[in-house]
Each structure stands twice: as structure tokens, then as C-alpha cells.
């Protein structure tokens, strides 16, 4: 624990957040004051900033939901719980005690020593004062009393010196009374001849004149099975050797009889247990200090015989005699007395020895199936130890491994010695001497300490702890109970394997009984233990119902109930989980749990802002309570539970949002579909429809489960909506959307709709389902069928396919078939007229089609068309994707579309006074005339899929509703360790060591590159250090800060990962963006540790990839639409974003009128800031420290500064209009002086200070068109690429350093091709660049002038 407290924290890289101390060898320019720009000098020297530097580094998109995608580990949504209940539990109901002693007469084949052992059941039959018959009766009664200490409920029958006929009659009676239960047959043959080699045992004739042998065959015939035989006789091993042979003979006779008469009533002869005192040729001990029935004494009086043997085998410092042993005070049943404590310790030790040595199945059969058998076998372990010490080897069937030398026997000897050491004082105190308080054994506390050491080691290799049975025994003691429960909870926290072990050892009856305890201090640990048990085995529901054990947790769930623990909300979350599991698929549990108080408690916990786990399981508790239970749903309506759940749609935790959707899905389906029910369900659907734009795929998948249930419930309404949408699609194909003079679709910022078109569209949109929630959901389903996440798209397609299949079998089938045929004809006619190189078909190809759906196209024509039609709907219903349910109160469609004609007026109001009209090309991207590749060159590389993704089978019709695995996935939280640190945080673990190594490597990189950053501003950048062929046109490049990785995106959808140090391509994969679109941005995130690759494409989609450098291991982590109303295009700005690692925020903008800020932790768009311009946003950059200020460059040349801390309408704090043309790039340094640099397409570069209205410096980088602008994150340099194949490098003072031209291959070299991409390494003095129409990438580094001087 001390090591944990002293381990070093992994902190954020300093240079990502601010300036480091400059190297003394680096001389700043004379005209530079070296103060941070924008007045941030004081801010970054503040305590707040310094504490931020030393804070822990946060990783994003690495939670369990990203690792698993919200899918449970097991495909069948169950966890393999081991069978721990004894379904075939037996009871020993009858026992026959056969004593063949024939006192006074020795058998002919037995030679006894003199003196010899005489005690039988601790009674000496040779005492002359009593008659032999009375002594025999006394011994018989004593034997029964000894057995009764093992099982008081067994019916015992004594048979004293029985004849063969009496034995037969006795055995048959025992079996008849026991029926199918077990019979105990105890045989003491000390007064008859030894068993024969064939296993026969001896009895008397009626007159006691002869010994009569009884065959094992007959004995088995009389007793049948199941039975347990205790044989206390010499040569007892002969019985075991022959027993199975006769059983097989009986079974053969049964089989023959069954062939003759299948209905014959036959006895069973299986499931027999034998305990034999010695081997086949061994004689019982005759030591006069030991009992003659030593084996029986071990089996029935283990404590007494252990005391006697210990005194005989050890020389004690006190003069304790064998007679004194009878004076040990106490009773076996009272654990606080010396005798009872010894018996308690003995039970724990023998249980533990058996648990550690026996196979699990055999242990459960012998030690958990039958109380009598368990007691006999515990005591048998002692007999093996004692009998072996006296040259006998007890045997059993089934055979047991040797246990006599187990180390725990030493603990047993020590416990005996502790009692014997205090015996004289105890005896004296009882006889009136000085008072003496018994000192209890430290055995249990020491064993608990050993168990604690085991837990501290982390249960290596999931080895079962030796002390687990002892912990079970400790639960019986109030002294150690709380400590034992705490340690038990820590053990159960290790995982399902630990829970299964604890259940198999027999822990369940104890923790079930403790639910009746009123002890307040036990509540937290009991809640924890029960949560772990129910997470593994749901069958415990009936046990909670029996004695109202569920009330224990309902009480805790009440907010007014006190819990004696600091994290009360977490324990209430566990209680909510327990009640949810109690109700899951268990109607009786739902009935007894249903109460207004439970609803109010769960609803109240939804407001707990501190504990998302409590909110999540409060939702799931409600979900399980009213699943298929109409009474609970009506109770929920009265409590307004559905409204409170709808409010959770904006919860900051994705798991809570998904849990609320799970509960609302189970709410649907009240059998009596009245108008009130329909209104309630439709209001729920209209409220949560905004979640279609949720950034978490798990939430969207759960939303589709809700939609599928809702669609099936209101099937007819959705058939109408689907038909009308098909009709609308046909109208849109007959009357295409506006295009410009070059036959290009207009960008969103240029979109216009004429009054005539609006009127025509309105006439075509007057349908039955218009403005209904069903039509709105249907359109969202079509949009989600082209979701960027493959599984979401696949599930949405299942729903839409199901509706279309139903539509073709409905009364509308003929009309629907006609419309579908028209759609196919129109789409085929429209396709050849379009050039695939242009972005001219957004209606048909705008959204990404999952590869699985591409390769598995349906045979039905309308289904094949479905994906294309869906894409057109996604383009036509931009306002739906932004949220807001469609209702009768909403603005008319005509008003919405007509309002778009007022775009110019809105731009004037939001962006300020209109600027003088400039040439059109000034506000267009520099690369608009670049050649584009045909669509057939898309999707050539492999597309990474989410973990666990599987394509649905295309055979057969789709099934509805969809099934959710979210609940089972949520259960896994309680199956995973919560108490121990995560693997990467555990010192010494592989993950921790790897993270520590990466941290040291990162610091080494920073130390190595820091002195070079000052030299970069005065040195030439012309040393070629790398040249490799990417295989496709590089358009976006990004260096990893610390790994030797360079990510390169081409002008289509492919991404290549290069090791720039070795010029080796590590991986190539597809981003999956649709045809006619391209990748706009590529960034690494989480670079201090294991980085993810983030991409943004011109269709508005953000994607993240794990293991991006491994072709086999790469996976999609997350994907969502950062912008929901983009028209996919490889022209215009498309999508631009900036990632803030320190804040976990993603700023997204582009061809839209808003800037969206996505929170990576919550995965929702937290702020929408108006762009304040009708022009598109071409680039974004932000402050990487505080993360509040960001800057956007616009297509009209404006540069605007925003502050997130202000209200969205007031967030723009400054606008610069000095640029007159398209902003190629604007960038703020992470480190250095935090220079803010912008560049426009006419070659003007401007340096800004946010406090000033005019630029600090203006530099004319080129007279040609500026294609790229890259700024080094820390060094005072930037590079510009023009359309004349040259790259100019400047320092921030305007000083020209040098010009370079990217190399090309011999056949492709063209000095007139424009520069396509440039990028600096974040820390190293390295520049990567590429040219248009050339697949090669060039790397250049800075020349160190100090080395030049030294060389000279």
C-alpha cells in the first residue's frame, strides 16, 4: 500500500500547455520582447495554470463503452454461472448401529495383546461389576449419543449382537423407512471373525453357538442404495475390494429384469459410500491407552480422541493425566467455551483441508450434500491421521487423497495445546480456586490475516485461497463477523470466479440469514456482497422472496435511510441493481417490489448529480420493475416517472442516457391502447427523437431498440409514413434540387429555394402522416440507416427493411410497388447523366454505406434502392437531424423553406454590414479546380470495424423488435473488480511499466528538441531526411508528438500510417466516408500514452480508430456526425475541427452556420455557437491550455475570435476583416509565444494579438495562390505552399529563411504542380510536404548553425 501511495503520477506533457524555460544557448531576436501574446503571461504564471500542468493526464474514448461498444462479453447475454446448489441433496434419515461384540468371548482368529485396548464407546466392557448384557446396552446407547452429536434428526436403531435374521429384518426395515434417502450402516465386528477375502462379514446364529457369514451380495440386497457403510473391524479393506463387484451383479440383474418387464419396480444399488477402519490385511490397534473402537471414536468424538492422542504423543510441562481430559469445561455446541471452541476450530480445519485437497465435485458431494456424510468425512480426516500413527491405513469409497500431513494439522495441535495449557487453571477455578478467564484461541484472527495477505497479493493466477472455508466458519462468530464480511467482499470483488468459489464452499446460506440481522454496521458490506452474488447468479431471486430479504435493500434505497459509510450513493446504486435483478424476468419479484415509494426513491436518485452509477441503475431498476407489468407502468404514469426519464436524454453520462432509453423502451406496450396511452407513448417518442444526433453509438443503438418497439406497436401508421416518403422521393427525383451554373449542388451556405419550388414541394407534401411523430421517426430511421457507425446503420436498416416488407404485404402493396418501380427507373435514368468526379449527386450518394451492406445487397429491387433513397432523405431533412420533434404546432414546411430565401438578410444581421462585392473566386477554396478521382477508386482499403461487430445474416425476413444487450452489459460492472486499481495504475504491472516508459520517452523527446526551437527561426530548412511513395495523393498529414508515426490522408477515403524514421508504411485503411467526399482533418489524440487517430470528413462525420498502426488489430472506437446538415463534397470547406486534449473538447465547423463544441467525456454537443457569417468556416484553432478561446477563419477572409465562457449569441468577441480572400489556414501555437497566424489564398500572412484590432505583422508569402499554411507548434517558424510547386519558410518576424521544392519521381516530376499539403512535427524540427498529382511525401529538417560552425 505504501508503494501505491508513493507511485508517480503520469502527468500531461508540459509543452502541450505552455512555454518551457528557454535554453541559455538560444538567443532571442533583438526586436522581440518574448512575452506571450494575447496577454496570457500572467495567466500562465498563475497558480491555477501551474496546478493544471501538474494534474493528471486525462484519456478520452478509452472507457469500457468504447472498448466493448455496449455489448456484453458473452454472446448469449448470460454469464456462465457454475452450479453450486445441491439439486440432489440427500438426508441420512435412518441408521442401524450393529454391535457384534460378544463380550467375554474372543473370536477364534483374533489374538489380542496383554494388556490390550478395551474401551468401546469410551466404556470398558471388562469391568466386573456389570453384566455383559447391560454393558452391551450401555455401549449401544453411548454409540447412539455419539452419532446424535453429528445428526440429531436421524432415526437410530441399535442392534446388539444381532443374528443373521435380525440383521436382514433390520436392514430391510431401514430401507423401507428411508425410501430414497440415505441409510447409515455402522458395523462393529470386534467380537466376530475377520471379514473374509471375498468380503463376507460375520454375525451370530439365533443361539449364539455359531458365527454365520453374510455375503456382501445379500447385504446390498437388503440395504440397497444410497447407503453409507462404517466398518470398524480388522481387515475391513476386504469389503471395499469386493463391494463394486456385487453392485455390478445387482445392476446386471436389474437390466435383465427391466428387459422382461419395463414397468418392474427395481431397487437402486448405486451412490454408496464406505468408510473402512483399515486395509485388507491390517489389524486394528491394541494400545491399551486408546479405545478398541479407535476408528469409531475418531468418527464420532474427534475432540476427545484428539486430546487423548495429543497427551500420549507429547510430553507436556504440566502434569495432565488422561483422566484430567474429561474435565475440559464447556459443551461442543457452545463456541465460547473451551470445548466448543475446539470443536469449532476442528470443523474449520477439516473443512479447509478437504477444500484444498479434494476435487471440487467430490468435495461438494461429500461435504455439502448430506450433513451426516459431511460430519463423518470431516472426522474421517482425523482418523486417517491418528490411525496412520498406529500403523493402520483407513480407506474409503470413493477414495480420497492423503490428508494426514497437511500443514493445518499443526494449527490443530497448537489449538489443543492452548487449551491444555490453561486446563489446570480452569479446573481450579471451577473447583473454587482463583477466578480464571479463559483466553480464546487466536486461530481465526490469524487465518483472517492470512486471507488478507492473499487478497493483498491480488489473487495470483486466480488461485483459490486456502482460508475460504475458515472465513465461512468465522461468519458464525459476532466477534470476527464484520472483519470476515469485509474480507469476503474484497474476495468477491475479484470477479465471477471468486463468487463461484464462495458459493460452492457454501457461503450463500450465511449471507442469506444475515439479511435478517438488524446490525447497522453490516449494511454496506452486505449490499456489496449481494450485488456481486446477483451479478453472477440470478437464481437467488427466489431466496430473497422467501423471507422478504428484498426489503433489506428496498429500505436502503430510500433516500431517508442512513448508511454508515461515506459513499452512501454508491451503495444505493448497488441496492437499485439488486432490486433490478430481483425483478428481472421474475413476476413475483415485481409484484412485491411495486410501491409508490420505490418509484419516488428511484426518481429522486435521478437528480443525484454526483453519482452516475446511481442514476443509471435507478433507470434500470424502473425498467425491470415495469417490464411486461402493466400495473407498474400505470403506477409509473401516476408518479410521472416517464417524464423524469425523458429528462435524462441530456444527461452528461452516456450510460445514463442509454439506461433511460432502456426504461422507456420497456414502458411501451400497455395492453389497453387507449388514447391516453397513445398520447403518452407518442410524447415520449417525440421527446427523445433528439437523441438521434447523440455522439455515442451505444446510445444510438439503444434508441433504435426503442424505435423498433415503437414501430412494431404502431405498425399501420408507419406503413403510411413509409409509403408517403416513397412518394415524396419520387417527386424529388422528378424535380431535382437547385444546382449552380456548373451543374454542382450548392453548398449549404449557398443554398437557395425559389418560391415556385417551395410551392411545388408543399403540394407534394400534404399527406396523412405529415407533422406526425411517426413520420418524423421514420425519417430519422432512414437517416440512421446511413449512420457512420456500422452497427447503428445495420440495425436501422433492419427496421426500415421490416417496414418495407410489411408495406408490400399491406393494402398499399400495389401502390407501393408502383412507386418503387418508378424510383428504380428514375434513379437509373439519373445516374449516367452525372459525372462521378463531381459532387453532383447528394441525393443519391451523400451518406456512407456500411461495407457489409454494400457486399450483401438484398435481391429485392426496392431494398437495394433503400440505401440510396435513405441518403436523399438525409439531405432533404436537415432540420430534423438538428433535433426538435415535428408536431402540429411546429412551423409550416413552406415557411421553413421560404425563410431560407432571407439568407442575405440574416447574414447582414449576424455578420455585420455587407462588404463590397468581391470577385467570386476570392471566396472559393484554392483547390476547387483540382482534378478529382472517380468514385470507383473509393473504399479500396479495409475499413476498421468496431470491436465485436458482426454482419447480420441476409437470409430470411428481419425480426422485430430489436433486442438490447445494454442491461447485460451494465451488469458486468458488478462482475469486474472495483476495489483494486486499474491495471495501468497498479505499480509493477505491464501496463503501468509501459506507461512509465512512454512518459520517460516523451520527456526525453522534449528535452532533446527544446534547444532546437530557438535555432529554427534563423536556420535553413533544406536538409532532406525522408522520401517515400504514399500510393495515393496526400492531402492531409499529421505527425505524432512522440511516436515515429506520420498519418497521411489522401483525396478520397484512405489513410496511411508511416514510420517516418524508417520510411516504412505500417498500415493503410479506409475511413469509410462516402463517394464524392474526402477526409478534411487528421489528428492524434491521447498522444502522451496510447494514441487514437481522429478523422473528420466532408460529410460531417468524426471517426476515431484504435491500434491504427496495426493492420490486424485496428478497430473503430467511435463515430458520429459532428455536423448533421452537411452536403458531402470534396469541394468547399467541408468539415474542419480542432481538438483540445487538455479540455477534452472537439470544436467542429465547416459549411454550416454554427460552430459545435462536442465534449469527449459526455459525447454530446454541449454548445452551438452561431458562426456569425453566411460564409463557410475554413479552419479552426484554439487555446490549448484554458481551452476557452478559439479562432475561426472564414471563406470571405474574415477571422473571428470566440470565447466559450459567454452565451452563444455573445460568444464572438472580435472580428478581423483585413484579409480579403479565402482563409487558407489560421493557427495558434501550443507553445512558444502562442503566435496566432492566419493566411489567405492571395498569399497574405498576418500575425495577430487578440487585444489589438490590427495585425502585428503582415507578410506577403507568395504572389501566387496560397495553397497551404503550416505553423510550428513551438518554434517561431511557419511554412507556406503555393500553386507554383514551392514552399517558403519564414520566421514570425517576417524573415525569409529559405524556399524548397518537393522532390518527385523522375517520370512524374512537374515543377508547375501546386503544393497539396504541408505539416510540421509538433516538437522536432521537421517538415513534411507533398505536391498535387504526386504520391510522394518529402521530409525536410532544419540545419543547426552551431554544427555548421563546428564543421567549418
Amino acid at each position: 500500500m505504501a508503494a501505491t501511495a508513493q507511485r508517480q503520477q503520469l502527468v500531461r506533457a508540459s509543452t502541450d500547455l505552455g512555454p518551457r524555460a528557454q535554453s541559455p544557448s538560444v538567443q532571442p531576436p533583438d526586436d522581440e520582447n518574448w512575452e506571450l501574446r494575447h496577454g496570457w503571461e500572467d495567466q500562465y504564471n498563475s497558480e491555477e495554470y501551474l496546478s493544471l500542468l501538474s494534474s493528471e493526464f486525462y484519456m478520452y474514448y478509452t472507457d469500457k463503452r468504447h472498448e466493448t461498444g455496449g455489448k456484453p462479453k458473452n454472446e448469449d447475454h448470460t454469464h456462465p454461472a457454475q452450479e453450486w446448489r445441491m439439486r440432489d441433496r440427500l438426508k441420512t434419515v435412518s441408521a442401524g448401529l450393529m454391535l457384534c461384540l460378544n463380550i467375554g468371548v474372543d473370536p477364534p482368529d483374533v489374538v489380542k495383546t496383554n494388556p490390550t485396548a478395551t474401551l468401546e464407546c469410551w466404556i470398558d466392557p471388562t469391568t466386573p461389576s456389570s453384566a455383559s448384557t447391560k454393558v452391551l446396552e450401555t455401549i449401544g446407547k453411548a454409540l447412539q449419543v455419539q452419532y446424535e452429536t453429528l445428526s440429531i434428526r436421524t432415526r437410530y436403531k441399535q442392534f446388539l449382537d444381532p443374528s443373521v435374521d435380525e440383521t436382514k429384518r433390520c436392514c430391510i426395515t431401514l430401507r423401507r423407512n428411508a425410501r430414497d434417502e440415505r441409510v447409515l450402516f455402522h458395523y462393529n465386528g470386534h467380537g466376530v471373525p475377520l471379514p473374509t477375502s471375498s468380503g463376507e462379514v460375520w454375525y451370530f446364529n439365533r443361539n449364539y453357538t455359531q458365527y454365520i457369514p453374510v455375503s456382501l451380495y445379500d447385504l446390498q440386497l437388503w440395504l440397497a442404495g444410497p447407503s453409507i457403510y462404517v466398518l470398524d473391524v480388522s481387515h475391513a479393506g476386504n469389503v471395499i475390494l469386493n463391494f463394486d463387484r456385487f453392485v455390478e451383479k445387482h445392476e446386471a440383474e436389474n437390466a435383465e429384469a427391466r428387459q422382461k418387464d419395463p414397468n418392474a419396480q427395481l431397487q437402486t444399488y448405486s451412490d454408496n459410500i464406505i468408510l473402512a477402519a483399515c486395509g485388507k490385511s491390517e489389524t486394528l490397534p491394541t494400545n491399551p491407552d486408546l479405545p478398541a473402537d479407535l476408528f469409531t471414536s475418531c468418527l464420532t468424538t474427534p475432540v476427545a480422541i484428539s486430546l487423548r492422542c495429543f497427551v500420549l504423543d507429547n510430553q507436556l510441562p504440566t502434569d495432565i493425566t488422561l483422566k484430567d481430559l474429561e474435565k475440559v469445561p464447556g459443551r461442543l455446541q457452545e463456541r465460547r467455551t473451551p470445548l466448543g471452541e475446539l470443536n469449532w476450530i476442528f470443523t474449520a480445519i477439516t473443512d479447509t483441508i478437504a477444500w484444498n485437497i479434494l476435487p471440487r465435485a467430490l468435495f461438494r458431494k461429500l461435504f455439502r450434500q448430506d450433513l451426516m456424510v459431511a460430519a463423518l468425512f470431516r472426522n474421517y480426516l482425523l482418523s486417517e491421521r491418528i490411525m496412520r500413527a498406529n500403523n493402520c491405513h483407513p480407506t474409503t469409497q470413493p477414495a480420497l487423497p492423503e490428508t494426514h500431513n497437511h500443514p493445518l494439522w499443526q494449527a490443530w495441535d497448537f489449538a489443543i495445546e492452548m487449551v491444555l495449557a490453561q486446563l489446570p487453571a480452569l479446573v481450579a477455578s471451577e473447583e473454587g480456586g482463583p477466578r480464571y478467564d479463559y483466553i480464546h484461541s487466536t486461530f481465526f484472527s490469524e487465518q483472517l490475516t492470512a486471507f488478507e495477505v492473499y487478497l493483498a497479493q491480488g489473487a495470483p493466477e486466480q488461485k483459490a485461497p486456502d482460508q475460504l472455508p475458515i472465513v465461512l466458519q468465522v461468519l458464525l462468530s459476532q466477534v470476527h463477523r464484520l472483519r470476515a464480511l469485509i474480507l469476503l467482499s474484497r474476495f468477491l470483488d475479484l470477479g465471477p470466479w471468486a463468487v463461484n468459489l464462495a458459493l460452492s464452499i457454501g457461503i450463500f446460506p450465511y449471507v442469506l440469514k444475515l439479511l435478517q440481522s438488524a446490525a447497522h454496521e453490516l449494511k454496506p458490506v452486505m449490499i456489496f456482497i449481494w450485488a456481486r452474488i446477483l451479478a453472477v447468479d440470478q437464481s437467488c431471486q427466489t431466496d430473497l422472496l422467501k423471507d422478504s430479504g428484498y426489503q433489506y435493500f428496498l429500505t436502503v434505497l430510500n433516500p431517508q435511510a442512513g448508511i454508515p459509510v461515506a459513499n452512501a450513493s454508491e451503495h444505493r446504486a448497488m441496492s437499485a441493481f439488486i432490486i433490478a435483478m430481483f425483478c428481472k424476468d421474475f413476476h413475483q419479484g415485481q409484484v412485491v417490489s411495486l410501491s409508490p415509494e420505490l418509484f419516488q426513491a428511484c426518481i429522486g436518485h435521478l437528480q443525484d448529480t454526483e453519482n452516475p452509477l446511481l442514476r443509471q441503475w435507478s433507470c434500470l431498476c424502473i425498467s425491470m420493475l415495469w417490464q411486461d407489468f402493466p400495473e407498474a407502468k400505470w403506477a409509473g404514469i401516476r408518479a410521472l416517472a416517464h417524464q423524469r426519464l425523458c429528462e435524462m436524454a441530456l444527461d452528461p453520462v452516456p450510460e445514463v442516457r442509454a439506461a433511460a432509453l432502456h426504461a422507456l423502451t420497456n414502458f411501451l406496450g400497455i395492453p389497453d391502447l387507449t388514447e391516453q396511452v397513445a398520447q403518452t407513448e407518442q410524447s415520449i417518442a417525440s421527446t427523445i427523437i433528439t437523441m438521434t444526433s447523440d455522439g455515442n453509438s451505444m446510445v444510438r443503438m439503444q434508441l433504435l431498440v426503442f424505435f423498433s418497439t415503437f414501430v412494431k406497436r404502431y405498425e399501420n401508421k408507419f406503413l403510411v409514413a413509409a409509403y408517403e416518403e416513397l412518394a415524396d422521393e419520387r417527386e424529388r427525383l422528378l424535380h431535382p434540387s437547385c444546382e449552380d451554373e456548373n451543374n454542382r449542388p450548392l453548398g449549404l451556405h449557398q443554398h437557395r429555394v425559389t418560391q415556385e419550388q417551395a410551392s411545388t414541394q408543399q403540394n407534394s407534401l400534404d399527406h396523412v402522416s405529415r407533422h406526425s411523430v411517426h413520420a418524423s421517426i421514420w425519417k430519422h430511421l432512414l437517416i440512421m440507416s446511413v449512420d457512420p457507425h456500422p452497427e447503428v446503420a445495420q440495425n436501422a436498416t433492419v427496421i426500415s427493411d421490416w417496414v418495407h416488407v410489411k408495406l408490400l404485404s399491406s393494402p398499399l402493396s400495389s401502390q407501393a410497388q408502383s412507386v418503387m418501380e418508378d424510383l428504380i427507373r428514375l434513379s437509373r435514368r439519373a445516374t449516367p447523366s452525372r459525372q462521378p468526379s463531381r459532387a453532383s449527386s447528394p441525393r443519391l450518394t451523400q451518406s456512407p454505406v456500411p461495407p457489409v451492406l454494400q457486399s450483401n445487397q438484398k435481391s429485392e429491387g426496392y431494398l437495394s434502392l433503400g440505401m440510396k433513397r435513405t441518403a436523399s432523405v438525409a439531405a432533404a431533412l436537415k432540420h430534423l437531424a438538428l433535433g426538435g420533434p415535428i408536431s402540429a404546432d411546429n412551423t409550416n414546411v413552406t415557411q421553413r423553406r421560404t425563410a431560407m430565401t432571407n439568407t442575405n438578410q440574416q447574414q447582414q444581421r449576424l455578420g455585420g454590414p455587407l462588404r463590397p462585392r468581391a470577385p467570386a473566386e476570392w471566396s472559393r477554396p484554392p483547390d476547387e479546380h483540382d482534378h478529382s478521382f472517380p468514385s470507383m477508386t473509393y473504399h479500396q482499403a479495409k475499413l476498421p470495424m468496431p470491436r465485436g461487430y458482426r454482419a447480420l445474416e441476409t437470409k430470411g425476413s428481419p425480426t422485430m423488435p430489436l433486442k438490447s444487450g445494454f442491461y447485460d452489459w451494465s451488469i458486468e460492472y458488478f462482475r469486474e473488480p472495483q476495489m483494486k486499481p486499474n491495471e495501468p495504475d497498479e505499480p509493477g504491472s505491464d501496463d503501468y511499466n509501459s506507461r512509465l516508459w512512454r512518459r520517460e520517452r516523451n520527456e526525453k523527446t522534449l528535452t532533446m528538441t527544446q534547444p532546437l526551437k530557438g535555432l529554427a527561426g534563423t536556420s535553413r530548412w533544406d536538409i532532406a531526411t525522408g522520401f517515400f511513395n504514399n500510393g495515393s495523393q496526400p492531402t492531409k498529414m499529421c505527425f505524432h508528438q512522440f511516436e515515429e508515426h506520420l498519418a497521411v490522408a489522401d483525396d478520397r477515403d484512405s489513410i496511411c500510417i508511416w514510420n517516418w524514421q524508417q520510411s516504412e508504411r505500417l498500415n493503410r485503411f479506409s475511413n469509410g466516408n462516402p463517394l464524392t467526399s474526402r477526409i478534411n482533418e487528421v489528428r492524434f489524440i491521447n498522444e502522451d500514452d496510447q494514441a487514437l487517430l481522429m478523422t473528420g470528413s466532408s460529410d460531417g462525420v468524426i471517426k476515431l480508430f484504435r491500434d491504427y498502426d496495426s493492420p490486424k488489430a485496428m478497430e473503430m472506437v467511435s463515430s458520429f456526425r459532428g455536423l448533421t446538415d452537411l452536403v458531402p463534397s470534396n469541394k468547399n470547406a467541408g468539415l474542419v475541427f480542432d481538438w483540445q486534449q487538455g479540455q477534452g473538447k472537439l470544436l467542429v465547423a465547416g459549411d454550416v452556420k454554427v460552430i459545435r463544441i462536442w465534449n469527449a467525456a459526455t459525447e454530446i454537443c454541449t454548445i452551438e455557437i452561431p458562426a456569425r457569417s453566411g460564409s463557410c468556416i475554413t479552419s479552426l484553432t484554439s487555446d490549448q491550455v484554458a481551452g476557452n478561446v478559439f479562432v475561426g477563419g472564414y471563406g470571405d477572409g474574415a477571422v473571428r475570435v470566440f470565447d466559450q465562457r459567454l452565451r452563444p449569441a455573445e460568444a464572438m468577441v472580435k472580428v478581423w476583416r483585413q484579409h480579403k480572400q479565402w482563409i487558407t489556414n489560421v493557427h495558434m501555437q501550443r507553445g512558444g509565444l502562442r503566435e496566432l497566424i492566419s493566411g489567405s489564398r492571395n498569399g497574405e500572412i498576418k500575425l495577430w494579438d487578440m487585444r489589438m484590432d490590427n495585425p502585428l505583422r503582415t507578410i506577403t508569402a507568395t504572389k501566387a495562390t496560397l495553397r497551404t499554411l503550416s505553423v510550428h507548434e513551438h518554434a517561431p517558424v511557419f511554412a507556406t505552399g503555393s500553386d507554383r510547386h514551392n514552399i517558403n519558410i519564414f520566421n514570425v518576424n517576417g524573415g525569409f529563411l529559405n524556399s524548397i521544392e518537393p522532390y518527385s519521381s523522375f517520370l512524374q516530376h512537374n515543377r508547375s504542380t501546386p503544393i497539396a499539403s504541408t505539416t510540421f512535427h509538433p516538437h522536432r524540427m521537421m517538415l513534411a510536404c507533398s505536391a498535387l498529382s504526386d504520391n510522394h511525401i518529402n521530409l525536410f529538417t532544419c540545419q543547426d548553425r552551431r554544427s555548421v560552425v563546428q564543421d567549418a
Side-chain angles (χ1 to χ4, degrees), residues 571-591:
H571 285 78
R572 288 197 172 94
M574 296 181 201
S575 297
F577 162 72
I578 292 170
I579 297 301
M581 293 297 294
F582 178 60
C583 295
K584 183 177 185 291
D585 303 326
F586 188 50
H587 183 67
Q588 291 175 285
Q590 292 174 307
V591 172

Side-chain angles (χ1 to χ4, degrees), residues 1033-1207:
Q1033 174 64 62
T1035 56
K1036 295 291 179 181
M1037 297 185 291
C1038 181
F1039 281 102
H1040 192 292
Q1041 288 193 62
F1042 306 109
E1043 300 281 356
E1044 296 172 348
H1045 292 167
L1046 173 65
V1048 182
D1050 64 12
D1051 55 349
R1052 285 155 285 170
D1053 69 318
S1054 295
I1055 299 173
C1056 293
I1057 307 297
W1058 287 86
N1059 183 319
W1060 53 262
Q1061 185 73 43
Q1062 301 176 3
S1063 297
E1064 175 188 2
R1065 192 174 74 180
L1066 304 177
N1067 192 16
R1068 179 174 183 261
F1069 60 92
S1070 170
N1071 186 58
N1073 45 290
L1075 311 182
T1076 75
S1077 67
R1078 66 177 178 181
I1079 302 170
N1080 288 114
E1081 299 281 0
V1082 179
R1083 299 285 174 84
F1084 291 104
I1085 72 171
N1086 302 342
E1087 292 176 274
D1088 278 30
D1089 198 59
Q1090 293 177 308
L1092 303 177
L1093 184 67
M1094 177 184 289
T1095 66
S1097 48
S1098 60
D1099 60 339
V1101 171
I1102 303 292
K1103 293 184 178 181
L1104 292 104
F1105 301 96
R1106 177 192 301 113
D1107 296 323
Y1108 54 83
D1109 58 333
S1110 172
K1112 295 182 179 180
M1114 61 178 178
E1115 294 174 339
M1116 180 186 294
V1117 177
S1118 180
S1119 58
F1120 60 95
R1121 292 195 181 275
L1123 298 176
T1124 53
D1125 47 3
L1126 270 181
V1127 177
S1129 172
N1130 55 10
K1131 310 299 181 185
N1132 303 325
L1135 174 145
V1136 295
F1137 70 72
D1138 189 50
W1139 167 251
Q1140 296 178 338
Q1141 181 70 48
Q1143 302 297 318
K1145 293 180 181 179
L1146 181 67
L1147 285 62
V1148 187
D1151 289 334
V1152 290
K1153 297 180 181 179
V1154 295
I1155 303 167
R1156 288 190 167 184
I1157 300 177
W1158 289 84
N1159 189 309
T1162 63
E1163 297 186 67
I1164 56 177
C1165 177
T1166 54
I1167 308 174
E1168 278 193 2
I1169 298 177
R1172 304 293 294 271
S1173 174
S1175 180
C1176 63
I1177 298 177
T1178 64
S1179 61
L1180 281 175
T1181 187
S1182 63
D1183 169 28
Q1184 292 289 330
V1185 183
N1188 298 317
V1189 178
F1190 66 91
V1191 182
Y1194 287 72
D1196 60 0
V1199 177
R1200 289 179 169 85
V1201 182
F1202 298 87
D1203 192 332
Q1204 301 178 41
R1205 294 168 292 188
L1206 303 177
R1207 292 192 304 112

